[in-house]
Amino acid sequence: MKLETYIIKRIFLMVIVMFGVATIVFFITRVIPADPVGAILGGNAPIERVDEMRRQLGLDKPITLQFIDYIKGIVHADFGVSLKSNRPVLKDIINYFPATIELAIASMIFAVLVGVFLGISSAIHRNKSIDHFSRFFSILGVSMPVFWLGLLLLLLFYYHLDWLPGGGRHNLFIFPARITGLVLLDSILTRDWAVFWDGLRHIILPAFVLGYASAASIARIMRASMLDILRQDFIRTAKSKGLSKNLVIYRHALKNALIPVVTIIGISLGSLLSGAVLTETIFSWPGLGRYIVNALLVLDYPAVTGGTLFIAFVYSLANLVVDISYAALDPRMRV
């Protein structure tokens, strides 16, 4: 199969997945036994005002017509108007998404650096102290709930030790310049180092909590891949030629062992974006995940569906990029 054909096929499958997600999200929000109009206007609102609001939101139409209008809006990138902020949902997403992106990138940097280092060290020093620590680190990372880890770290580093701030992206009395929406990057571009260090202190705990599970998964995959590569014939041949241990490991073994890790990194990035909901809520991080949670609490259906679909799209796009990269590097993946 040609690469172009494979890309078209994957894009078509992505469209089907997005349609399925949109359908599920729509009907879940409609079967919830709650009335968004009542949540907005209150229980004592006049019946005439309630009926008028339902007509404005299109909730007086049959469910099939609501679904058709909903799909038409998605096709035109129109997620409706937020019932809480009274702004287009797409504008809210653009406003809140940079915070989620910044948190996800910081978490991924932590996950890759720690996961790859522990995976390599564990494979090289098998059944030694670093290997035992790496396996304990991995098991703890994939088994401990995100919210529990976040609360423990807040209790330790914020409440008891007072080393790190407890929430938010920056101090309330600091007003960072907005260029890209990424506080750390914008502070570097404007050379505002006070904002940079304040933003860095605020992002440490949420980035660690969000990236811990990914770091554990990367460490496990890296260890298994590295152990498998170190048993290969070409590694024994390299050793027999008298090459140094570090040269064999980091030039010959590592390059091949990283292939499955690249897939995990791509998928993990999408998972970090979708998994930021709990982390952002715990640390009061003003990102898209917290926006969706707050919208759900007030039955803001357009915001919930729009935010969920956007995260699903980013997750699917990350998987698409990984699949296309693999297909370009290894033609066997196109079969």
Side-chain angles (χ1 to χ4, degrees):
M1 184 185 298
K2 293 183 179 180
L3 181 60
E4 295 81 2
T5 306
Y6 178 81
I7 293 175
I8 294 173
K9 180 181 177 182
R10 290 294 294 113
I11 292 176
F12 178 72
L13 292 175
M14 178 180 170
V15 172
I16 295 177
V17 169
M18 290 304 302
F19 179 79
V21 172
T23 303
I24 293 172
V25 170
F26 174 83
F27 284 103
I28 285 179
T29 54
R30 293 310 186 275
V31 299
I32 294 176
D35 184 12
V37 176
I40 298 171
L41 301 179
N44 298 322
I47 187 66
E48 296 82 6
R49 179 64 180 133
V50 172
D51 292 338
E52 180 185 356
M53 178 65 75
R54 292 184 67 84
R55 283 193 299 270
Q56 290 177 359
L57 299 177
L59 298 177
D60 60 326
K61 298 179 181 179
I63 191 71
T64 53
L65 293 180
Q66 292 184 43
F67 180 70
I68 292 173
D69 292 341
Y70 166 74
I71 295 298
K72 287 181 180 178
I74 292 174
V75 172
H76 293 90
D78 180 12
F79 299 116
V81 177
S82 170
L83 307 181
K84 181 181 180 182
S85 66
N86 202 30
R87 294 183 301 181
V89 172
L90 187 58
K91 285 189 177 181
D92 282 345
I93 291 174
I94 294 173
N95 183 51
Y96 286 100
F97 191 58
T100 300
I101 281 286
E102 184 173 46
L103 179 58
I105 292 175
S107 303
M108 180 52 63
I109 292 174
F110 162 75
V112 171
L113 293 179
V114 174
V116 171
F117 171 76
L118 286 179
I120 294 174
S121 302
S122 180
I124 297 174
H125 305 286
R126 188 179 181 184
N127 294 326
K128 294 184 179 179
S129 299
I130 185 65
D131 187 24
H132 297 317
F133 172 78
S134 176
R135 283 187 283 182
F136 174 77
F137 177 88
S138 300
I139 293 174
L140 196 64
V142 298
S143 60
M144 179 175 289
V146 171
F147 70 89
W148 181 245
L149 177 61
L151 292 175
L152 287 179
L153 293 182
L154 278 176
L155 183 64
L156 177 61
F157 291 102
Y158 171 64
Y159 183 75
H160 287 297
L161 299 178
D162 194 25
W163 288 356
L164 295 171
R169 296 180 75 188
H170 52 76
N171 194 294
L172 293 176
F173 301 102
I174 288 180
F175 305 96
R178 187 179 178 91
I179 301 175
T180 63
L182 309 180
V183 171
L184 296 179
L185 179 59
D186 291 347
S187 62
I188 293 175
L189 293 176
T190 57
R191 298 185 179 181
D192 193 338
W193 304 117
V195 172
F196 175 81
W197 290 114
D198 183 73
L200 185 63
R201 292 181 70 248
H202 278 81
I203 205 173
I204 289 176
L205 283 183
F208 177 85
V209 171
L210 185 59
Y212 186 20
S214 295
S217 299
I218 292 173
R220 295 176 66 187
I221 298 297
M222 189 73 227
R223 179 182 185 273
S225 179
M226 197 71 176
L227 286 174
D228 182 62
I229 294 298
L230 290 175
R231 300 190 192 101
Q232 300 297 319
D233 292 337
F234 75 92
I235 295 296
R236 286 193 288 268
T237 302
K239 291 180 179 179
S240 66
K241 291 181 178 180
L243 298 179
S244 66
K245 181 179 179 181
N246 288 336
L247 189 62
V248 171
I249 291 174
Y250 294 106
R251 175 174 293 184
H252 297 281
L254 180 60
K255 182 170 62 175
N256 293 277
L258 281 174
I259 294 176
V261 177
V262 172
T263 305
I264 297 298
I265 292 174
I267 296 174
S268 295
L269 181 58
S271 300
L272 290 177
L273 292 172
S274 60
V277 175
L278 282 175
T279 306
E280 290 181 358
T281 303
I282 293 170
F283 290 96
S284 300
W285 190 265
L288 188 56
R290 188 169 176 233
Y291 169 75
I292 295 174
V293 171
N294 291 336
L296 185 60
L297 294 176
V298 296
L299 303 178
D300 188 351
Y301 290 166
V304 173
T305 55
T308 303
L309 282 175
F310 186 81
I311 289 179
F313 171 76
V314 173
Y315 186 89
S316 300
L317 187 63
N319 288 337
L320 176 65
V321 172
V322 171
D323 289 343
I324 292 176
S325 302
Y326 245 61
L329 295 173
D330 188 354
R332 293 173 300 177
M333 296 295 297
R334 308 175 197 170
V335 180

